[in-house]
Amino acid sequence: MKRLTITLSALFFAIGLSAQTYDLDFLNPDAKVLGMGGISMTSLSGSHAIYNNAAMAIFSQSPSQVSASYYGQGIYDAYAVSGSCRFDNNNLAQIGWRQLFYDNSQGEDLVLDLGYSRRINDHWAIGIVGRYQHFSQTNMPTANALALDLHAAYTLPLENVGKYSTLRAGARLSNLGGCFGDNNRTLPIRIVGGVALDTFLTDSHEIIIATDLGYCFTPSQPRGFQLSIGAEYNLVQLIQLRAGYHYGESSFTPCYTSLGAGVRILHLRLDFAYLFASSNSILRNTYSFSFGIDF
């Protein structure tokens, strides 16, 4: 456990560089994540844990979940569907499907993810996600890829901070693998880490403040840091208001400011996010909808 703690502590200082157009991790489909500036490592009640931090899902109160998202981003439209099923208090399985359609019939990309998460104890959880990707664009050769992501999550209840406060931290090492076949494509390996403070000001008012940080270090891809800062206000667990800012050091990680909102009614979730970016950014006027059901 001491060795695991040291390793994860190092990971918490980084977040991965968003990839080129053939990597569907370029933008997270979860509207809650987008509304908070791209915060993904500590998201506990988002729509797509398998695309955020698969290990963090084990700390959710929902036994099972099904979600769907859409986002429009410049030259393409993307759709995502994912689900999770908890076998018991310590084991959870996840599955996800994403498809991206380019404008003017310029091709499409498809991704299928399978994940497993396990709780180690009251504070720690780990997860693993395997991924198959199919790239089919008219201006590039068709290619396929296999990749593996490693996830970790930590949660700690805090005494004497607000009424019910929790410190959460998460880390992910993603895209361990690559394309196969006769092509020169590579997947950008990324290290992602984040921390969040979740506190109740009163029984009706909850505040979440979070940040993610990281780096892409694959030699054949552009390198650079990426930073996300976000916040969420939750009113009586019914209405959520979100805002965030995302900074990217490279042109493959455009900067943007985001606003978002969400509604929780019984077991239903509906989230929306809108991104504000510069006039020459691919993320200008990007928006996302996510809908989910918790069982």
Side-chain angles (χ1 to χ4, degrees):
M1 178 59 68
K2 182 178 180 180
R3 181 179 299 176
L4 177 63
T5 302
I6 295 174
T7 302
L8 293 177
S9 297
L11 293 181
F12 290 155
F13 288 95
I15 183 172
L17 179 69
S18 294
Q20 300 184 25
T21 55
Y22 54 81
D23 181 3
L24 282 185
D25 285 340
F26 179 78
L27 193 65
N28 194 306
D30 194 333
K32 175 178 179 176
V33 168
L34 290 179
M36 296 180 67
I39 297 294
S40 61
M41 287 299 93
T42 52
S43 180
L44 189 60
S45 58
S47 290
H48 304 291
I50 195 170
Y51 306 138
N52 303 327
N53 186 340
M56 192 65 68
I58 203 72
F59 296 114
S60 172
Q61 300 300 316
S62 302
S64 301
Q65 182 184 84
V66 175
S67 303
S69 292
Y70 162 82
Y71 73 83
Q73 180 186 332
I75 62 173
Y76 55 77
D77 298 306
Y79 301 85
V81 177
S82 72
S84 63
C85 179
R86 187 188 301 270
F87 301 114
D88 51 38
N89 192 49
N90 297 322
N91 299 278
L92 181 141
Q94 303 173 65
I95 186 171
W97 166 88
R98 288 174 285 174
Q99 194 153 8
L100 182 150
F101 297 93
Y102 292 87
D103 290 348
N104 302 319
S105 301
Q106 293 298 307
E108 61 186 69
D109 295 338
L110 180 146
V111 178
L112 177 65
D113 295 87
L114 295 174
Y116 168 74
S117 304
R118 178 170 177 81
R119 183 198 300 263
I120 299 176
N121 53 38
D122 290 341
H123 303 293
W124 288 97
I126 57 175
I128 184 170
V129 175
R131 179 180 310 107
Y132 164 74
Q133 304 188 41
H134 175 74
F135 313 117
S136 179
Q137 303 172 28
T138 56
N139 61 338
M140 300 183 69
T142 299
N144 298 279
L146 293 175
L148 191 70
D149 295 353
L150 304 178
H151 302 240
Y154 176 79
T155 180
L156 177 67
L158 299 177
E159 299 181 359
N160 303 320
V161 179
K163 298 198 66 173
Y164 306 98
S165 298
T166 303
L167 177 68
R168 295 195 299 270
R172 180 182 68 210
L173 177 62
S174 60
N175 278 338
L176 300 175
C179 298
F180 52 90
D182 186 16
N183 61 76
N184 295 320
R185 295 181 175 181
T186 58
L187 297 176
I189 299 176
R190 296 189 294 275
I191 299 177
V192 186
V195 62
L197 175 63
D198 185 344
T199 184
F200 282 82
L201 304 178
T202 69
D203 291 339
S204 302
H205 304 279
E206 179 186 15
I207 296 289
I208 300 174
I209 301 173
T211 184
D212 281 358
L213 176 66
Y215 188 68
C216 172
F217 56 90
T218 303
S220 61
Q221 301 288 347
R223 302 184 181 190
F225 284 98
Q226 181 174 325
L227 172 69
S228 295
I229 301 174
E232 177 185 270
Y233 166 69
N234 193 337
L235 177 63
V236 296
Q237 302 300 305
L238 177 64
I239 298 174
Q240 296 83 41
L241 300 176
R242 307 181 181 105
Y245 175 73
H246 176 90
Y247 168 78
E249 192 176 40
S250 165
S251 60
F252 290 100
T253 61
C255 300
Y256 63 85
T257 300
S258 64
L259 293 177
V263 177
R264 302 289 189 270
I265 302 177
L266 297 178
H267 297 282
L268 302 180
R269 295 174 285 103
L270 179 63
D271 295 297
F272 172 77
Y274 188 86
L275 308 188
F276 300 88
S278 62
S279 58
N280 60 348
S281 173
I282 190 176
L283 297 183
R284 182 175 176 82
N285 298 326
T286 294
Y287 60 93
S288 175
F289 291 95
S290 293
F291 173 78
I293 302 175
D294 299 329
F295 299 97

